[in-house]
Amino acid sequence: MNVRDQSLHREQTLSFYGVPVPSRLLLGTAGYPSPAILAEAAKASGASVMTVSLRREAAGGKIGQRFLDIIKSLGVRILPNTAGCRTARDAITTAEMARELFGTDWVKLEVIANDDTLQPDVFGLVEAARVLTADGFKVFPYTTEDLSVAERLQKTGCEVIMPWAAPIGSGRGLANIAALKSLRAYFPDLKLVIDAGIGAPSHAAHAMELGYDAVLLNTAVAKAADPVRMAEAFAKAIEAGRIGCDAGLMPPRDMAVPSTPVAGTPFFDIE
């Protein structure tokens, strides 16, 4: 019998903090060959949410303003991030500045612990999330797949959790599938978005097949030989993964099972 956990699919239309989000692909804006290619890739992806770093282009400057104008012209919702912050205090200050600049209380919260792995500082992350949610922010925390950290983030008021698939920019795909499955099963009502480590459309499809709500990625598209076509490929993979999960994937088996029953066929009657 195929498995279909209805508790994971009560909401066919994705929403974050009560705001409907048409696409399950969230796209980053860093590292593209040019602003024009970024714009074309965004259109091809169908993404309705794009992340922007406050530190990028010193947003109030001439170049930064031009960049923001391009993003705004796409008609997407901006999700400011606190990329590059190493402490909870820095992340909080950056989020406050982003709210002023971008006019949104959404923030992708990043507090980085290690420069080599870019692994989140989960202690600083929880502390910053606690302060920001109390101040009215809608926090999207970038974290590991650790279930206990997700519990603490939820208790601070986070309605969305963004576990990594693998280190940022590594392109390794889902490094700890068992933990990601556990996270999904433990939090059936929490919005879970895979963030970081996705390198191929098949990785994104796999994440969606596990029942995740969405995927956020950047480098895999920005650094592709053809970012526009890659953006389109990810959009289709995410849609396919979601449909596959919703349709009910067959469970894996250790033994072979014939797809065509042999019992009752004429061959059994031949001596």
Side-chain angles (χ1 to χ4, degrees):
M1 183 177 71
N2 292 343
V3 176
R4 185 180 185 185
D5 187 346
Q6 294 291 353
S7 67
L8 296 178
H9 304 97
R10 284 177 291 188
E11 186 182 57
Q12 293 301 316
T13 301
L14 180 63
S15 66
F16 294 136
Y17 292 102
V19 177
V21 178
S23 172
R24 294 177 184 274
L25 169 57
L26 287 67
L27 199 60
T29 56
Y32 284 84
S34 71
I37 293 177
L38 164 62
E40 289 304 311
K43 293 174 185 174
S45 74
S48 49
V49 176
M50 298 183 73
T51 62
V52 177
S53 170
L54 177 65
R55 299 188 176 203
R56 181 186 173 93
E57 322 288 3
K62 189 174 181 181
I63 298 176
Q65 186 58 53
R66 191 160 65 237
F67 170 77
L68 281 178
D69 289 342
I70 292 172
I71 299 300
K72 290 177 179 176
S73 72
L74 296 171
V76 299
R77 190 176 183 103
I78 294 177
L79 176 60
N81 66 60
T82 62
C85 292
R86 262 61 178 178
T87 67
R89 184 68 258 168
D90 285 351
I92 293 167
T93 301
T94 302
E96 291 169 344
M97 294 171 64
R99 180 163 61 181
E100 292 289 324
L101 181 63
F102 298 111
T104 176
D105 55 8
W106 284 20
V107 62
K108 181 192 171 191
L109 183 60
E110 294 185 27
V111 183
I112 300 301
N114 184 281
D115 288 338
D116 291 326
T117 65
L118 298 180
Q119 179 170 349
D121 172 357
V122 295
F123 303 102
L125 186 71
V126 172
E127 173 59 17
R130 183 187 63 77
V131 173
L132 290 171
T133 53
D135 193 25
F137 279 91
K138 308 297 188 295
V139 179
F140 296 65
Y142 159 65
T143 183
T144 66
E145 69 278 48
D146 189 295
L147 194 150
S148 63
V149 175
E151 271 191 310
R152 286 167 172 76
L153 289 168
Q154 185 185 36
K155 288 178 181 176
T156 68
C158 293
E159 297 179 11
V160 181
I161 304 290
M162 305 179 76
W164 67 353
I168 293 173
S170 67
R172 297 178 186 170
L174 310 185
N176 192 344
I177 294 172
L180 291 173
K181 283 183 176 178
S182 296
L183 203 61
R184 179 68 285 179
Y186 195 79
F187 297 105
D189 297 322
L190 199 62
K191 300 293 166 45
L192 294 178
V193 180
I194 288 291
D195 179 14
I198 296 296
S202 58
H203 300 159
H206 194 179
M208 299 304 294
E209 289 168 357
L210 294 183
Y212 276 72
D213 295 289
V215 173
L216 193 161
L217 56 92
N218 186 161
T219 308
V221 170
K223 298 302 183 183
D226 187 337
V228 178
R229 292 190 67 192
M230 187 61 77
E232 180 184 4
F234 269 105
K236 291 180 177 177
I238 288 171
E239 183 181 4
R242 172 69 185 187
I243 294 172
C245 180
D246 197 39
L249 298 165
M250 66 168 286
R253 296 166 173 154
D254 294 329
M255 300 295 291
V257 177
S259 56
T260 302
V262 295
T265 61
F267 304 106
F268 284 92
D269 299 327
I270 299 176
E271 295 183 356

